Amino acid sequence: MSCLKCLKYTMCLVNFIFFICGAAVFGIGIYLMTSTRFSSILPSLQAMNIANTLFIIGIIITCVSFLGFLGALKENRCLLISFFILLFILMLAELAAACVLLMYERQIEKFIDEDLKSGLQKSINDRKNVTDTDDWDTVQLTGCFKKLQDAFENNLLNAGIGVIVVCIIEVLGMCFSMTLFCHISRSGLGYK
């Protein structure tokens, strides 16, 4: 029984930390949306700029971690199974994206290169005021596409380790939620 209490409060603490981090990422996304003008560097994906991406990631992290926190704290089976399902869907989406990136690496690289050139030309043509900032100004501080590509390839091991760590955290979250769910089911607490 004390192990389950420890598991419950560990799950609450970890999800609370993720909730705070998600809220911070969400807040940074909102700040960037309101304080500066960002345009997408990829014209084919207009909505994919830094601010929107942070905003969406923040919402996902905040919502999923809130379900896990509240489900563990209240020992609510419905919230715990929802947390499990959302983590499972996120993990499947991440694995599918990784597979697509590996299978179509050259085609994606060619598409991004062409789209970046098109986006740069559009940014130059659309710029009305030299004091305006957009994502291209940020990209120009880190160099061109080739430099970013080389940096990514040099840090491929670190990216792989990061993906593995995220998957381990998600699997642990799913295991913890299922353990609590099964304990609640066996104890007859039902839906509170």
Side-chain angles (χ1 to χ4, degrees), residues 24-43:
V25 170
F26 175 76
I28 291 169
I30 290 176
Y31 172 75
L32 291 176
M33 286 176 161
T34 58
S35 66
T36 57
R37 183 186 69 84
F38 279 95
S39 64
S40 179
I41 58 176
L42 299 174

Side-chain angles (χ1 to χ4, degrees), residues 99-116:
C99 289
V100 167
L101 287 174
L102 289 174
M103 288 173 45
Y104 299 104
E105 180 182 0
R106 296 293 171 214
Q107 293 91 331
I108 292 171
E109 183 179 312
K110 183 180 177 192
F111 168 78
I112 289 174
D113 186 42
E114 292 171 358
D115 218 26
L116 285 173

